[in-house]
Amino acid sequence: MTTDLIPILSAIAAALVVLGATPLAMRLARATGAVDVPSGRRIHSEPTPRLGGLAILLGFLVPVVAFLPDDPSARALITGAVLITALGAADDIWGLTPGVKLAGQVACAAIPVAAGLTIDHITLPLLGVGDLGWAQYPITVLWFVALVNMINFTDGMDGLAAGISGLGATTFAILAASLGRADPAIMAAALAGACAAFLVFNFHPARVFMGDAGSMLLGFVIAGVAIGGVMKSAAAIAVVAPLVILAIPILDTSFVILKRLKHGLPVYNADRSHFHHRFFTIGWSQRKTVLALYGWCALMGAVAIALRFVRYRDADGHLQLAGTAVLSAAGLLALAASIYLVYVLEILKWRSTPVVTLVRQSRLERASRREMAGRS
């Protein structure tokens, strides 16, 4: 079997396992009381079982255990993934305090970091490689914990976290394979296949939620494959590509945290200020919102792939017109899409505030009075 086929087979195997395991996870969720009941900030209207993340974990593990060699860092990442899924499942069933969850996330992140899966250097275009030294350990733990919570924050609408994570994992699989990093490519492909199959049950109207067991698993594995597959390489895209691929969860989390800090609220307080909530507030349906965010994520992934494969310099280091034009067009398209979506989220939402509503009513009343005066 050629190594090029293994990531593809991993994705297929993971998908098949998830298709069979998800109904079992739904039964387990109902038996343990891990059911998400509609509440004030929830978008769904029917009680829905959680613990779908257990099926995603099983789908991820089967091909990864079968195809990966006995590598210490890969084994440590898998161990951490299993433990953080267990942590999320405990939260889904019994509920955990934010402090306990954060401590568990740090402990899980420390496992692959201790095994050498670290961001030990930063490669910046035009500037070269910078060694992080001892700082690689806290920085890498912070990276894992940040991604775990970013993906967890996006899991607020049917199919959103699974779709965005699946698209991101697919992009990381392509980049890792192109850089000759087989292990991260296999893990990323397996995660992508698991996410795709889970959408059969999780796309609107969802029959099951992944819960924290799933969202924390997705964030943890994506953080790991981003490091092993791209960030540990000396490629010029080592830093840029992960930031581009993960632009949606990064921007969403940044906006939410800044808003909570602005109003003096704890950053872990749940609210309805995420991107998907804002789309919902301005009247977009769940499907339209999710598909729009899928499109945005796919576009950013395409930009990351273009940065890897489109040659914009020749052997002598001179810029090539065609490659530079393609990359510039891709970047401008991604920037335009981002600006448009932020405009829709912020401007239209701002227009619906009570102050603006009163201004509109005042204008209409004045226009009505003028019209009546003209008739008289």
Side-chain angles (χ1 to χ4, degrees), residues 90-106:
D91 186 47
D92 291 331
I93 298 172
W94 298 294
L96 302 175
T97 64
V100 171
K101 287 173 64 176
L102 180 60
Q105 291 166 1
V106 171

Side-chain angles (χ1 to χ4, degrees), residues 73-125:
S73 62
R75 188 168 62 245
L77 181 61
I78 294 169
T79 301
V82 172
L83 292 177
I84 206 164
T85 303
L87 176 69
D91 186 47
D92 291 331
I93 298 172
W94 298 294
L96 302 175
T97 64
V100 171
K101 287 173 64 176
L102 180 60
Q105 291 166 1
V106 171
C108 292
I111 296 173
V113 170
L117 187 62
T118 60
I119 307 171
D120 54 1
H121 67 273
I122 294 180
T123 304
L124 296 175

Side-chain angles (χ1 to χ4, degrees), residues 45-57:
S45 57
E46 298 291 335
T48 307
R50 295 191 290 262
L51 295 183
L54 298 180
I56 297 176
L57 175 65

Side-chain angles (χ1 to χ4, degrees), residues 26-38 42 44 46-51 92-93 209:
M26 294 166 64
R27 293 180 187 176
L28 178 62
R30 292 191 180 96
T32 58
V35 176
D36 203 312
V37 179
R42 306 290 187 183
H44 64 285
E46 298 291 335
T48 307
R50 295 191 290 262
L51 295 183
D92 291 331
I93 298 172
F209 295 153

Side-chain angles (χ1 to χ4, degrees), residues 243-325:
L243 297 180
V244 171
I245 296 168
L246 300 169
I248 292 178
I250 290 173
L251 288 174
D252 181 45
T253 302
S254 300
F255 279 133
V256 169
I257 289 178
L258 288 174
K259 181 177 179 180
R260 292 173 186 174
L261 291 175
K262 176 182 177 181
H263 295 284
L265 300 173
V267 295
Y268 52 79
N269 265 20
D271 59 24
R272 293 178 64 92
S273 58
H274 292 283
F275 283 171
H276 52 275
H277 286 126
R278 295 184 181 191
F279 276 122
F280 202 65
T281 299
I282 63 174
W284 287 34
S285 67
Q286 286 205 51
R287 290 195 175 204
K288 182 178 179 181
T289 296
V290 168
L291 291 175
L293 291 173
Y294 284 179
W296 190 6
C297 185
L299 179 59
M300 302 306 285
V303 171
I305 291 173
L307 288 171
R308 168 61 181 155
F309 291 103
V310 175
R311 308 186 76 177
Y312 60 95
R313 291 186 183 275
D314 58 23
D316 298 323
H318 300 122
L319 290 176
Q320 293 182 329
L321 181 60
T324 302

